[in-house]
Amino acid sequence: DTAVSQTPKYLVTQMGNDKSIKCEQNLGHDTMYWYKQDSKKFLKIMFSYNNKELIINETVPNRFSPKSPDKAHLNLHINSLELGDSAVYFCASSRGRNLYGYTFGSGTRLTVV
Amino acid sequence: RKEVEQDPGPFNVPEGATVAFNCTYSNSASQSFFWYRQDCRKEPKLLMSVYSSGNEDGRFTAQLNRASQYISLLIRDSKLSDSATYLCVVNMEYGNKLVFGAGTILRVKS
């Protein structure tokens, strides 16, 4: 069984489009995260939700809007996509603030053309 | 100064070699430290936590020096399968989030 699953795995889209990435975890964790890994492989946190409540919101353009309908799901919607948004987006989850139980999804490779 | 800094490498070593990676972090109040491994086009996976007293897991040894804000990872008897990017990761005390270094690339060759 996949612990943290993201869809789609690959996404190629044109500049200006709006797209969503979905994430689901079946680990019973109550904290979920979105990370962005750019072309230089630098992995940086974007958002974190704990029990559907936003607890971390890094300096991210407001074109990016996370949504957590329940504690097992954290989706990421991106408006007006730009070339610089091309990256791999990783979802992760942990039990509460227990950073030792961090589990990543396999990533969504977004390419904006 | 970056929050977590690592030598990007790449480190090219023969099988059987011993290799060491270093990492420094900027926030002296940081509480938790980890090494993650990331294979090409895959997600990061926890390799080991780093404890103040130092800890070992098979061929891997992690050390923490809080005074110097320095973390290390030693890999003994390198295997081809150890080839990957090794990420130094720190829990910054001011936010319950993991901050990742840019990673050190290891290539083990036969």
Side-chain angles (χ1 to χ4, degrees), chain A:
Chain A
D1 277 345
T2 303
V4 181
S5 59
Q6 296 179 226
T7 53
K9 194 170 176 64
Y10 298 96
L11 183 54
V12 181
T13 187
Q14 290 188 324
M15 280 174 58
N17 283 352
D18 303 339
K19 290 292 177 187
S20 292
I21 307 171
K22 296 187 175 184
C23 179
E24 175 182 2
Q25 53 91 8
N26 62 4
L27 297 167
H29 290 168
D30 51 12
T31 304
M32 296 185 72
Y33 312 82
W34 278 111
Y35 278 80
K36 178 181 179 180
Q37 189 168 41
D38 60 27
S39 57
K40 294 181 180 165
K41 308 299 183 188
F42 194 55
L43 195 66
K44 191 164 185 186
I45 193 165
M46 300 172 70
F47 302 104
S48 174
Y49 272 75
N50 176 259
N51 274 321
K52 302 192 297 177
E53 180 187 348
L54 181 66
I55 55 172
I56 293 173
N57 184 351
E58 294 293 295
T59 308
V60 176
N62 57 15
R63 297 182 295 105
F64 290 78
S65 52
K67 280 191 171 52
S68 181
D70 56 61
K71 69 178 188 179
H73 295 83
L74 180 61
N75 304 323
L76 183 65
H77 188 76
I78 314 170
N79 288 327
S80 303
L81 278 155
E82 299 177 357
L83 293 176
D85 297 333
S86 296
V88 182
Y89 292 83
F90 286 102
C91 178
S93 71
S94 66
R95 188 180 304 280
R97 306 278 176 101
N98 176 9
L99 302 174
Y100 294 86
Y102 234 76
T103 303
F104 280 88
S106 57
T108 295
R109 187 169 296 273
L110 171 65
T111 303
V112 182
V113 297

Side-chain angles (χ1 to χ4, degrees), chain B residues 80-99:
Chain B
L80 293 175
S81 56
D82 293 335
S83 297
T85 297
Y86 290 83
L87 303 166
C88 177
V89 186
V90 177
N91 170 24
M92 294 292 166
E93 184 271 339
Y94 53 77
N96 284 289
K97 63 181 183 182
L98 296 183
V99 178

Side-chain angles (χ1 to χ4, degrees), chain B residues 7 11 13 18-22 35 70 72-75 104 106:
Chain B
D7 180 345
F11 285 61
V13 302
T18 295
V19 62
F21 305 138
N22 303 319
W35 283 101
Y70 170 97
S72 65
L73 177 68
L74 183 77
I75 305 175
T104 298
L106 172 65

Side-chain angles (χ1 to χ4, degrees), chain B residues 26-41:
Chain B
S26 61
N27 187 337
S28 60
S30 298
Q31 296 296 313
S32 310
F33 310 89
F34 310 88
W35 283 101
Y36 273 68
R37 170 189 169 135
Q38 187 173 23
D39 291 289
C40 188
R41 303 179 83 85

